[in-house]
């Protein structure tokens, strides 16, 4: 174990082309550079919280505080694993998984973004599949939840290709205006019924209690 005092740094999920892991502080600048280069068309907003609209340097500083805060506030009953996605050693996006009371509920939520330069190459599908492999195979999840605005065809397409089913719709604010989000649910049986990229998980044993707590271990 390379990081015995913070074993989440030893956790790595690999797919055929990608590596998903927590970024080290010295890598934060590369993530910020990717965000600054653009992760979506400015004419639309894929996020319920429009953080990409924030002016510079506020957005860059908020990014750092966000990543620091996720680590500082990590608890087994409320965690966010904000994995940076690497392709051939370069940062191409972020794939998050988060949960509250996971040890009891065995339910996770996912969210992601990818740099515009890397979109349209199947990376979005592969990185979500890798994180779902971590959830269902590594953590023993029963349900994964996602969602996207009705016009986010790319995200909705990834979800449906992985076996998610529509689970109702909500009206939420989008840049201050009402808009519709499609809720999506993936049960373990539907996940197992679909084919997926070959993925591996390294370093989970040392940090499993950080996700489910000692009372949630078998």
């Amino acid at each position: 174990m390379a990081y015995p005092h913070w074993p989440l740094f030893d956790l790595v999920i690999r797919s055929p082309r990608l590596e998903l892991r927590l970024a080290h502080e010295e890598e934060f600048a590369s993530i910020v550079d990717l965000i600054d280069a653009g992760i979506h068309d400015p004419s639309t907003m894929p996020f319920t919280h429009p953080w990409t609209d924030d002016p510079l340097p506020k957005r860059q500083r908020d990014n750092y505080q966000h990543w620091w805060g996720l680590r500082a506030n990590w608890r087994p009953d409320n965690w966010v694993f904000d994995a940076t996605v690497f392709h051939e050693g370069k940062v191409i996006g972020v794939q998050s998984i988060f949960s509250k009371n996971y040890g009891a509920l065995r339910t996770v939520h996912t969210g992601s973004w990818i740099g515009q330069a890397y979109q349209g190459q199947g990376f979005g599908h592969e990185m979500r599949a890798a994180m779902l492999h971590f959830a269902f195979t590594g953590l023993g999840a029963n349900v994964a939840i996602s969602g996207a605005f009705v016009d986010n065809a790319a995200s909705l397409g990834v979800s449906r290709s992985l076996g998610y089913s529509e689970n109702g719709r909500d009206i939420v604010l989008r840049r201050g205006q009402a808009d519709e989000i499609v809720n999506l649910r993936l049960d373990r049986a539907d996940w197992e019924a679909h084919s997926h990229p070959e993925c591996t998980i390294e370093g989970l044993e040392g940090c499993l209690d950080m996700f489910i707590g000692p009372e949630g271990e078998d």
Side-chain angles (χ1 to χ4, degrees), residues 126-148:
E126 187 172 331
M127 65 198 224
R128 179 98 68 88
M131 191 59 86
L132 290 171
H133 174 82
F134 171 68
F136 287 111
T137 303
L139 297 181
N142 292 324
V143 179
I145 302 295
S146 187

Side-chain angles (χ1 to χ4, degrees), residues 5-108:
H5 306 302
W6 192 252
L8 287 172
F9 279 137
D10 287 309
L11 178 58
V12 182
I13 306 157
R14 301 184 194 278
S15 65
R17 296 183 294 171
L18 306 175
E19 177 181 283
L20 286 71
R21 61 171 174 81
L22 283 186
H24 295 274
E25 190 167 325
E26 61 271 20
E27 295 171 317
F28 286 1
S30 295
I31 309 174
V32 168
D33 288 345
L34 186 63
I35 296 168
D36 289 349
I39 61 178
H40 64 82
D41 184 337
S43 67
T44 189
M45 174 51 63
F47 310 118
T48 52
H49 172 60
W51 59 275
T52 49
D53 283 346
D54 289 341
L56 303 181
K58 179 182 184 299
R59 188 185 70 216
Q60 298 161 331
R61 294 169 181 171
D62 285 351
N63 289 153
Y64 274 70
Q65 286 188 292
H66 172 71
W67 297 319
W68 285 326
L70 294 181
R71 299 167 195 207
N73 294 305
W74 186 291
R75 302 194 313 271
D77 63 349
N78 188 1
W79 49 260
V80 179
F81 181 52
D82 210 33
T84 299
V85 182
F86 295 85
H87 172 60
E88 297 180 344
K90 294 182 179 180
V91 176
I92 69 165
V94 166
Q95 176 67 63
S96 298
I97 186 172
F98 52 99
S99 184
K100 291 184 179 179
N101 301 310
Y102 177 79
L105 301 179
R106 299 287 168 160
T107 297
V108 299

Side-chain angles (χ1 to χ4, degrees), residues 157-169:
V158 166
S159 295
R160 288 166 179 150
S161 71
L162 289 166
Y164 287 80
S165 298
E166 186 168 333
N167 192 34
R169 300 190 177 198

